[in-house]
Every structure is written in structure tokens, then in C-alpha cells.
Amino acid sequence: MANQPKLGKIEKVNVRDVWPHEALNFTKWLAQEENLTMLGDACSIELELKDTESAVGSFAVDIYAQEADTERKVIIENQLEDTNHDHLGKIITYAAGKGAGVVIWVVARARDEHRNAIEWLNEHTDSDCAFFLVEIEVWRIGDSPMAPRFNVVESPNEWARAEKAKSDLSETERIKLEYWQTYVDCAAQNETFSQLFKPHKPQAHHWTELGAGSIRYHLVLLINTQKKQIGVEACVHDTDFGDFVLSRRQELEQALGIAGTPYNRKSKGVRFYKSGHDIKANREKWPEFIDWQLNMIMALQNEMVRLENEFETIESKASALTTDN
């Protein structure tokens, strides 16, 4: 008889034996990038850490993070014991205090009444909110290293939410949503664009934003279904830099090869529209429209980086002169 393989026995480890103290041990462990990524993978969310023990009034949420592709705020509350009403209240309080769109409640064991509560919250909130109830487990085979596992026991039904959201949209809103969904797909195939930007989650709006790596401005892609236009925009939050950008509008127009429309309100900036692009009647041309927008937004980003560098140089010189005097 052939030798039989030696098999080990899988044993579940008490989480308190691994992390004796929630804040000092578990929260610090979970905040590490590889472990936060593991939790994010379980929830199908790409998480980025912002802070631990982050203040919410006189309280503090265990982990404050954001969703990488949408920058939605995320709160993570840890409870290495059975769920209770106190922590259910905490996650709602912390979500309100942080303006969070995603709530992740990590627990040792989820009681049925709290599973039902999270399910109810997901069913009765819109698609901008998501509640996850996640059990943390630790397993070991014989003398092998212990292995943690996140088990999602309650989460949003994204498909049902998406269908419900679509049913509430007008025909024009559905077209806008589908256009930006196509944009996300096209953007993922553009290697140069993907190195610079991460598209936001598609919404039924006439615009979608892009972070530009600057606190002074962000970039926007635009569509106008009535005027049959597509466009791009630089939106500046900083007043002085906004004035500087408006004064250099002709340079932006020359770089993009198209006339710009400036605006000067609470924020300042320039929009660049291309007419003759009917979104509603030319669905098959959407990839062509989007390709133009991707190229324009990358050219606009190059110019904005150049202008910001020039602006900072001028500010530095002015500051040095003031100091000398």
C-alpha cells in the first residue's frame, strides 16, 4: 500500500489570543498596507489609509480611509467580540461625523439582529452609501503560522442598487451614465492616461472629475447633450493661482489647439468645448469622442503643471524680496 500523505488538522484560533488589545494590537495591525489591502479585497474596495484613531467630536473612529478610485470616505470600526448595539450606534455616528460613504464593521462574531440591521441599512440607503459587516477569523494547521481571513457576512447588493438607480433616471441621465461607464472602460485601455489619473465612479452627470495631484486645481471632463458638445476643464480653487491661469489662457488655447471659455466665480478656470458631437445620436462614436477628451485632458494637465511651477517660482521670488526688505 502506497504511503499516505500526512495531513494536518485545521484549527480556529481565538482572535483575542492573536490581538489581546483592540486598539494597541488589532487596529495597528489592520492599518498596515498589506492587511488593509486584504480587507479591501474581501469587500471589493481598494482602500487607502488616511488616519487611525481619527477624531469624531469627542470620540475616535478606529481607522479612517478612502476608496482609491472614487476617494469616497471610509470608516472602519473594529470589535473583537460579538456585535452589540453600542458599536452599531458608533458606526452610524462616525459615518455622519466623517461624511463617509462606506462603513466597514469588523467583528469577531456577527449576531443575527445586527446582520439584519446592516442588511436593512443597505436596502434603505442610496448607492452613495455602503455598509459592510465583516468577521475576522484566524486559522492554523498544526504548528504552521496563523493565517487571518476576512469573511464578509453582509454587504450592499450593488447589482440591485445599480438597477434601481437606473430605473429612477430619465433617458438623458441614463445616456450620461452609460457614456461615463464607456469612458472608464476606454481610460483603462489607455496606458498613458492610466499612469496619470484614476477615473471616478460613473454618475449620471454632465461632468466627471479627475484629481490632478494638486491642492490648487482639479480637472474635469464634460458633455453637453443639448448643445452637442464634449469638453475638458481646468477648475482652480486657489484665487491667486486662478487669476494667474486666466491671464495665461492664450497659452492653454495654443497648447490644446482650441478656444477656451473662462469663468470667474467662487472658483476660476477655463473650459474647452468641441461642438458637433451628438452624444445621443452617435453612440458608436463614443470611443472616438472619449479618445479626444483623454488626449485633451492629458495636454491640459501638462500645461497646468507648467503654469503651477511658474506660479510657485514667482511666489518664491516675491517672498524673498519681501524678506530682504
Side-chain angles (χ1 to χ4, degrees):
M1 184 175 179
N3 291 333
Q4 295 296 316
K6 184 178 181 180
L7 301 178
K9 181 181 178 182
I10 299 177
E11 296 179 313
K12 191 172 183 180
V13 181
N14 189 316
V15 292
R16 285 291 187 180
D17 292 340
V18 183
W19 302 287
H21 193 280
E22 230 170 67
L24 298 179
N25 303 125
F26 183 72
T27 297
K28 287 186 176 180
W29 174 84
L30 184 55
Q32 295 174 18
E33 184 177 357
E34 62 180 318
N35 303 322
L36 198 61
T37 297
M38 192 191 315
L39 174 61
D41 289 343
C43 299
S44 299
I45 299 174
E46 187 177 351
L47 295 171
E48 293 180 346
L49 178 68
K50 292 177 71 70
D51 196 11
T52 59
E53 299 300 328
S54 185
V56 182
S58 58
F59 301 96
V61 60
D62 291 332
I63 294 178
Y64 181 37
Q66 70 177 18
E67 188 178 11
D69 57 345
T70 66
E71 297 184 358
R72 278 198 298 180
K73 297 173 182 176
V74 180
I75 64 155
I76 302 171
E77 181 65 11
N78 305 318
Q79 185 183 3
L80 294 186
E81 55 190 14
D82 290 3
T83 54
N84 58 34
H85 293 345
D86 177 58
H87 278 78
L88 177 60
K90 283 181 178 179
I91 64 171
I92 295 173
T93 301
Y94 297 159
K98 289 294 189 183
V102 179
V103 174
I104 303 176
W105 188 7
V106 180
V107 303
R109 189 179 77 88
R111 295 172 62 177
D112 288 343
E113 55 266 42
H114 299 122
R115 293 181 63 159
N116 292 337
I118 297 301
E119 181 182 18
W120 185 90
L121 286 168
N122 280 320
E123 289 177 349
H124 290 81
T125 54
D126 61 25
S127 59
D128 290 332
C129 294
F131 292 85
F132 293 86
L133 182 55
V134 182
E135 290 180 338
I136 175 68
E137 301 173 340
V138 180
W139 296 87
R140 179 171 54 196
I141 301 176
D143 296 327
S144 66
M146 292 179 289
R149 184 177 72 176
F150 291 107
N151 179 32
V152 179
V153 296
E154 287 297 335
S155 63
N157 185 336
E158 294 297 349
W159 182 86
R161 281 187 169 194
E163 291 304 307
K164 181 179 183 300
K166 285 182 181 179
S167 68
D168 294 337
L169 298 177
S170 67
E171 180 185 355
T172 298
E173 289 173 329
R174 280 197 297 272
I175 288 173
K176 291 176 182 178
L177 177 61
E178 291 168 6
Y179 183 87
W180 294 127
Q181 288 171 336
T182 303
Y183 147 72
V184 170
D185 293 337
C186 292
Q189 298 173 24
N190 189 310
E191 185 176 347
T192 305
F193 179 89
S194 297
Q195 290 175 350
L196 294 172
F197 303 109
K198 285 186 177 180
H200 285 192
K201 181 180 179 180
Q203 302 285 344
H205 300 153
H206 72 275
W207 49 267
T208 185
E209 294 183 356
L210 285 170
S214 171
I215 61 173
R216 291 192 173 98
Y217 70 94
H218 68 271
L219 303 177
V220 186
L221 279 70
L222 304 160
I223 54 175
N224 189 319
T225 55
Q226 289 185 329
K227 295 183 178 180
K228 301 180 175 66
Q229 293 176 323
I230 58 175
V232 297
E233 171 187 347
C235 178
V236 185
H237 320 294
D238 180 278
T239 300
D240 293 336
F241 182 55
D243 291 336
F244 182 75
V245 169
L246 292 178
S247 72
R248 309 293 284 273
R249 185 184 56 161
Q250 289 185 344
E251 296 177 24
L252 295 177
E253 292 175 336
Q254 185 175 2
L256 272 64
I258 189 170
T261 303
Y263 61 91
N264 188 343
R265 298 189 298 274
K266 185 176 181 180
S267 57
K268 305 180 181 186
V270 187
R271 298 187 179 106
F272 300 87
Y273 282 110
K274 189 176 184 181
S275 299
H277 288 64
D278 191 340
I279 301 295
K280 292 184 176 180
N282 295 285
R283 184 181 291 267
E284 73 282 357
K285 292 187 177 181
W286 284 3
E288 177 186 324
F289 296 170
I290 292 165
D291 185 60
W292 179 87
Q293 288 180 292
L294 298 182
N295 288 327
M296 287 298 102
I297 208 73
M298 288 188 287
L300 183 57
Q301 169 69 344
N302 288 338
E303 289 302 301
M304 291 298 292
V305 169
R306 179 181 64 81
L307 290 179
E308 187 172 30
N309 289 337
E310 288 186 20
F311 179 74
E312 290 176 350
T313 299
I314 293 171
E315 276 195 326
S316 297
K317 290 181 178 178
S319 178
L321 286 174
T322 302
T323 302
D324 291 341
N325 292 334

